[in-house]
Amino acid sequence: MSAWTGAGRRIAGRRIAGRRIHIQEVGLRDGLQAECRFVPTADKIALADLLSGAGLAKLEVSSFVSPKAVPVLADAADVFAGIARAPGVVYSALVPNVRGAERAVAAGVGEMNLVMSASESHNLSNLRMTRAQSFAGLADVAALARRHGIAVNVSLSCSFGCPMEGDVPQQDVMDWCARFVDELGVQGITLCDTTGMAYPTQVHALTEAVRARWPGIELTLHFHNTRGMGLANVLAAIDAGADRFDASLGGIGGCPYAPGATGNVCTEEVVHALQLMGYDTGVDLARLLQAAVRLQDLVGHDVPSQIVKAGRRLDLHPRPAA
Ligand code: COA
Ligand code: ZN
C-alpha cells in the first residue's frame, strides 16, 4: 500500500482506508438491454458466474419486462435457472409490473428492482403511465414480493434531471422516496442518473439529504457517464455518506446507434480508482478485467472502459533496451 492510501488518510474529514463500498453490477441488465445484438443465454450465464466470483455485492441479472419491449432480455427466466448462486451475492432483477413480479418469483430472484421515474414526462415515455399510476402498480408488486419474502428495491429514474423537463426538484425526489419508504416500507432506494445529467455538488446535496432522513435504508447511486462526470459523481456521493453504487462491466449501455447515449459508470474504472484510494470494494480487479475482455467478444464491439484500453495504473511497460 502506498503512502497515499495509508491508514490515516482522510478526505473532507472522512476516513478512507478500509471503508467498505459495495459495487453492484448492472451490465447484464442495464448494459445488455441497450445492445442491439442478442447475447446467447449460455454466454450470459457464464458471464454472470464469472462476475459472482469476482466479489461483487449484487448482480442485476436481467429484467422481467415485456419480451416485445426488450427482446434481448427475453431469456430472463432461463438465465436465472442456469446461474450458480454464490453465497453473499444478491441476484436482483428489474420488475415493471405484477406480471413481471410473478415471473420473477417463479425464477427465484433474490430481489425485485422496481422502476419508476421522478419525472412525469420520462415516466410517460418509458413506462406509458403517469407517476401516480406507476406508484399504484408498484405498491401491488411490493405487496406480492413481501408475501413471498423477497426484498424490494425501488429505482427512481431521472433523480438528477430529465431530458425533457430539465431539472427535477430535489423535493420531488424526496417526496417519492417518502412514499416508497414510509408508506410501503421499501428497504432499498436507488437514485438513478438515467441520462447523465448529475453533477457532483448536486449529487452531494441529494445524497446527504436522503442519508440524513432515512439512515436505515440501503441507498444506491446509479450514474451514467454520458457527460464524463460519472466517477466524479461517485466520489461526491461517497463524500456525502453513500456506500453502494451500480456500475456496468466495460461501461456498456446506450444503443450504439443512438447519438449521445452512453453506458453506466464502468465497473472496473470505479473499482480501480476506489482501490487506489484505499477503499475496500471486496472486488477482485484482475478477475473483473477478464470478464470485461470477454464481454467485448459477446457484444461484438470495443467497450468504453479506459482500464481495458490502458491497463491498470501499475501494469508497467518494459524499458527500452539501453
Ligand atoms: N412480462 C411479460 N410480458 C409482459 C409484461 C411482463 N412483465 N408486461 C407486459 N407484458 C406483455 C403484455 O401482456 C402484452 O402482451 P400481448 O401483446 O401479447 O397482449 C405486451 O407485453 C405489451 O404490453 P404493453 O402494450 O407494453 O403494455 P403493458 O402495460 O402491459 O406493459 C410495460 C408496459 C412498461 C411493462 C412494457 O412496455 C415493458 O415491459 N417495457 C419495458 C420497459 C423497460 O424495460 N425499460 C427500460 C428499463 S427502465
Ligand atoms: Zn441506467
Side-chain angles (χ1 to χ4, degrees):
M1 196 175 271
S2 79
W4 297 102
T5 53
R9 185 105 181 110
R10 286 165 188 267
I11 283 187
R14 288 181 193 275
R15 186 177 63 84
I16 289 180
R19 191 174 145 201
R20 183 62 198 251
I21 304 290
H22 304 269
I23 306 294
Q24 308 177 159
E25 176 60 44
V26 299
L28 289 162
R29 199 280 301 170
D30 207 350
L32 290 187
Q33 89 180 6
E35 292 292 328
C36 302
R37 179 195 276 202
F38 180 84
V39 173
T41 307
D43 289 330
K44 287 176 181 144
I45 292 168
L47 189 60
D49 289 347
L50 203 55
L51 290 166
S52 292
L56 294 151
K58 196 184 276 187
L59 293 188
E60 191 169 33
V61 177
S62 192
S63 66
F64 290 92
V65 296
S66 158
K68 283 180 196 150
V70 186
V72 291
L73 298 182
D75 57 354
D78 294 334
V79 175
F80 266 95
I83 54 173
R85 312 280 178 125
V89 179
V90 175
Y91 294 90
S92 183
L94 189 144
V95 169
N97 53 18
V98 168
R99 172 90 186 277
E102 285 161 351
R103 292 173 58 210
V105 169
V109 306
E111 178 194 84
M112 294 192 201
N113 185 23
L114 281 40
V115 266
M116 70 167 266
S117 186
S119 132
E120 189 78 359
S121 311
H122 186 262
N123 206 68
L124 284 167
S125 76
N126 191 35
L127 300 170
R128 291 195 293 257
M129 280 183 271
T130 65
R131 290 174 297 176
Q133 287 168 329
S134 275
F135 182 79
L138 295 182
D140 292 341
V141 174
L144 190 152
R146 183 169 296 123
R147 284 200 298 280
H148 288 90
I150 296 174
V152 170
N153 184 79
V154 172
S155 283
L156 280 177
S157 310
C158 296
S159 286
F160 299 92
C162 163
M164 288 157 275
E165 295 179 15
D167 281 323
V168 172
Q170 181 171 313
Q171 192 57 48
D172 288 11
V173 180
M174 296 294 282
D175 289 347
W176 285 110
C177 287
R179 297 205 63 189
F180 283 107
V181 176
D182 300 337
E183 273 181 47
L184 300 188
V186 163
Q187 274 300 307
I189 292 282
T190 302
L191 301 175
C192 300
D193 181 28
T194 312
T195 60
M197 294 173 72
Y199 55 93
T201 44
Q202 175 200 31
V203 167
H204 194 284
L206 182 57
T207 303
E208 200 168 53
V210 173
R211 265 269 149 269
R213 183 148 162 204
W214 297 284
I217 63 162
E218 195 178 282
L219 174 66
T220 299
L221 279 296
H222 175 113
F223 296 118
H224 282 254
N225 202 30
T226 319
R227 293 178 175 83
M229 290 186 278
L231 190 52
N233 287 332
V234 169
L235 297 180
I238 290 176
D239 190 36
D243 63 358
R244 246 170 221 282
F245 294 91
D246 284 348
S248 80
L249 189 69
I252 60 166
C255 181
Y257 304 113
T262 46
N264 298 82
V265 287
C266 167
T267 314
E268 58 271 26
E269 286 178 15
V270 172
V271 168
H272 178 261
L274 296 184
Q275 287 185 352
L276 284 172
M277 294 172 75
Y279 291 106
D280 170 19
T281 63
V283 176
D284 178 341
L285 185 56
R287 207 160 168 161
L288 201 59
L289 284 168
Q290 280 171 17
V293 169
R294 183 159 175 180
L295 179 69
Q296 299 198 112
D297 294 334
L298 298 185
V299 295
H301 57 80
D302 284 353
V303 293
S305 170
Q306 294 295 132
I307 308 299
V308 166
K309 290 189 187 82
R312 290 165 292 188
R313 177 172 172 270
L314 289 179
D315 289 341
L316 301 181
H317 300 269
R319 293 165 201 258

